[in-house]
């Protein structure tokens, strides 16, 4: 297998890791004002992702760095043509991180909670818009430069893709909260997950069906079907109260969706509306020497990162219990200072 193919697959794996792990972070942030009834609920919801959210974002950094090193032409065209959407995603991620870290240091948390909500909702939607456009194809000239505008990216197919990822990640967050909490909060998350699963089947199914009918390949029909089966499995498991299986099934659906998109993309990395101007793994890649060095670095350090992150999730695997307010101890009746009846 050629190294260009290897690195295309590795970048797909990095995006799979990012969407599976950061996906429930987005969902938790979106559901923060929906499922929380009071400040204790809000603290419990945020505590579910507190130890892991920043580690999950590392997958995005590595995916971007790998794209820059392995396919510099792809990186240059992507970040110049999609500059505004990617800039909005970056700002949203920064503000979300600030909100998580600083809400407990402020007298008023309402503003930070709104920042958390929009900082999660915007990337969850825009990543779908971006990847839908990448798979569909964008206007590129002979120098592989993007010639469209922002409104070119906001076409109906891309907006449907954004809505599909938004619903899917929100469902992922609801299932994660059902898995990591208990009591009324867990019940509310599971109840909402049932409704979101139905929405994900409708919206996500429409997006994948349209993708397969327009740019799909025969092999990716299997992964598209697996995605639908994963969401249906999450719905069935939630109704049965099997939170772990429900979360696993939806994670499998996210993996299958990402495989479908990258499978339809191959061997292109940035299709053009004019196929002659498309970027492929061949004309967008770095030199063989660079890819060889990168491969050895990945072989050495990737297992270390995976072991460390797996250990982190193992340590913080237990459900979070909403703290029960302590009863206020009864105060003894103070002695009376009035004079005794009948005193001389």
């Amino acid at each position: 297998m050629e190294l260009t193919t290897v690195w295309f697959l590795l970048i797909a794996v990095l995006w799979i890791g990012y969407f599976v792990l950061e996906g429930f972070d987005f969902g938790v942030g979106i559901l923060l004002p929906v499922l929380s009834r009071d400040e204790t609920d809000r603290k419990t919801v945020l505590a579910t992702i507190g130890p892991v959210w920043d580690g999950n974002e590392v997958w995005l950094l590595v995916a971007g760095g790998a794209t820059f090193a392995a396919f510099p032409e792809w990186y240059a065209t992507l970040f110049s043509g999609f500059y505004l959407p990617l800039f909005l995603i970056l700002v949203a991620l920064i503000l979300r991180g600030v909100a998580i870290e600083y809400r407990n240091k402020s007298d008023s948390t309402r503003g930070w909670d709104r920042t958390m909500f929009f900082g999660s909702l915007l990337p969850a939607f825009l990543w779908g818009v971006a990847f839908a456009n990448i798979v569909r194809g964008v206007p590129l000239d002979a120098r592989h430069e993007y010639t469209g505008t922002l409104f070119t990216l906001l076409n109906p197919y891309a907006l449907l893709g954004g809505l599909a990822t938004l619903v899917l990640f929100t469902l992922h967050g609801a299932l994660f909260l059902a898995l990591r909490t208990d009591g009324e909060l867990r019940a509310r998350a599971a109840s909402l997950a049932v409704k979101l699963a139905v929405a994900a089947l409708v919206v996500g199914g429409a997006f994948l069906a349209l993708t397969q009918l327009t740019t799909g390949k025969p092999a990716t029909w299997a992964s598209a079907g697996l995605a639908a089966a994963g969401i249906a499995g999450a719905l069935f498991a939630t109704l049965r109260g099997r939170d772990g299986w429900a979360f696993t099934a939806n994670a499998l659906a996210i993996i299958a969706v990402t495989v479908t998109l990258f499978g339809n993309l191959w061997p292109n990395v940035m299709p053009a509306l004019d196929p002659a101007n498309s970027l492929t793994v061949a004309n967008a890649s770095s030199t063989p020497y660079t890819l060889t060095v990168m491969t050895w670095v990945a072989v050495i350090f990737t297992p270390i990162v995976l072991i460390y992150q797996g250990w982190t999730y193992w340590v913080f695997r237990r459900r979070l219990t909403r703290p029960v307010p302590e009863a206020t101890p009864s105060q003894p009746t103070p002695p009376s200072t009035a004079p005794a009846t009948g005193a001389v």
Side-chain angles (χ1 to χ4, degrees), residues 254-340:
I254 294 176
I255 294 172
V257 170
T258 311
V259 168
T260 302
L261 296 178
F262 274 89
N264 289 333
L265 192 58
W266 169 264
N268 295 316
V269 292
M270 180 68 77
L273 297 181
D274 181 357
N277 298 332
S278 294
L279 282 169
T280 67
V281 294
N283 63 18
S285 67
S286 294
T287 64
Y289 178 78
T290 300
L291 295 178
T292 301
V293 173
M294 290 175 58
T295 302
W296 281 109
V297 171
V299 168
I300 295 171
F301 289 101
T302 300
I304 298 175
V305 174
L306 292 177
I307 291 172
Y308 173 77
Q309 192 162 27
W311 174 79
T312 302
Y313 278 94
W314 176 257
V315 170
F316 296 101
R317 68 188 183 278
R318 298 186 183 277
R319 290 180 183 267
L320 297 180
T321 303
R322 175 187 167 97
V324 179
E326 296 182 1
T328 304
S330 58
Q331 300 294 332
T333 303
S336 175
T337 58

Side-chain angles (χ1 to χ4, degrees), residues 17-329:
Y18 176 69
F19 285 148
V20 170
L21 298 177
E22 188 79 332
F24 65 73
D25 289 342
F26 291 148
V28 168
I30 293 169
L31 295 176
L32 175 64
V34 178
L35 295 178
S36 302
R37 296 293 182 265
D38 52 29
E39 179 61 18
T40 302
D41 276 350
R42 287 188 285 272
K43 287 184 177 181
T44 304
V45 167
L46 289 176
T48 61
I49 62 172
V52 298
W53 70 270
D54 47 356
N56 295 341
E57 287 190 347
V58 172
W59 289 80
L60 174 62
L61 299 177
V62 178
T67 304
F68 172 77
F71 301 100
E73 191 78 12
W74 181 15
Y75 183 92
T77 301
L78 177 64
F79 277 79
S80 60
F82 291 58
Y83 179 82
L84 185 55
L86 294 177
F87 177 77
L88 291 175
I89 290 174
L90 178 61
V91 171
L93 292 177
I94 292 173
L95 292 177
R96 187 190 64 156
V98 172
I100 294 174
E101 295 294 339
Y102 283 92
R103 76 178 302 277
N104 291 331
K105 301 176 177 62
S106 175
D107 295 332
S108 176
T109 61
R110 181 173 299 179
W112 292 120
D113 292 343
R114 290 175 179 173
T115 302
M116 178 70 178
F117 172 78
F118 288 106
S120 302
L121 184 146
L122 194 62
F125 176 74
L126 289 180
W127 280 129
V129 172
F131 271 87
N133 276 295
I134 292 173
V135 173
R136 171 179 175 267
V138 293
L140 301 178
D141 61 19
R143 295 181 299 174
H144 302 144
E145 294 182 0
Y146 179 73
T147 59
T149 65
L150 174 63
F151 295 102
T152 305
L153 302 177
L154 300 179
N155 56 80
Y157 171 74
L159 294 176
L160 178 61
L163 187 59
T165 55
L166 175 60
V167 175
L168 187 59
F169 291 155
T170 307
L171 168 61
H172 206 41
L175 294 172
F176 182 75
L177 288 173
L179 178 65
R180 295 281 283 113
T181 60
D182 64 3
E184 292 184 3
L185 186 56
R186 182 262 162 201
R188 290 196 296 269
S191 177
L192 183 59
V194 172
K195 300 173 184 177
L196 288 170
V198 175
L201 280 173
V202 174
V203 179
F207 172 68
L208 287 178
L210 186 58
T211 299
Q212 289 302 113
L213 292 173
T214 54
T215 61
K217 298 177 181 178
T220 53
W221 278 103
S223 58
L226 184 60
I231 299 174
L235 173 61
F236 180 74
T238 301
L239 292 173
R240 296 287 300 274
R242 306 296 296 272
D243 299 332
W245 284 109
F247 181 78
T248 302
N250 198 64
L252 180 63
I254 294 176
I255 294 172
V257 170
T258 311
V259 168
T260 302
L261 296 178
F262 274 89
N264 289 333
L265 192 58
W266 169 264
N268 295 316
V269 292
M270 180 68 77
L273 297 181
D274 181 357
N277 298 332
S278 294
L279 282 169
T280 67
V281 294
N283 63 18
S285 67
S286 294
T287 64
Y289 178 78
T290 300
L291 295 178
T292 301
V293 173
M294 290 175 58
T295 302
W296 281 109
V297 171
V299 168
I300 295 171
F301 289 101
T302 300
I304 298 175
V305 174
L306 292 177
I307 291 172
Y308 173 77
Q309 192 162 27
W311 174 79
T312 302
Y313 278 94
W314 176 257
V315 170
F316 296 101
R317 68 188 183 278
R318 298 186 183 277
R319 290 180 183 267
L320 297 180
T321 303
R322 175 187 167 97
V324 179
E326 296 182 1
T328 304

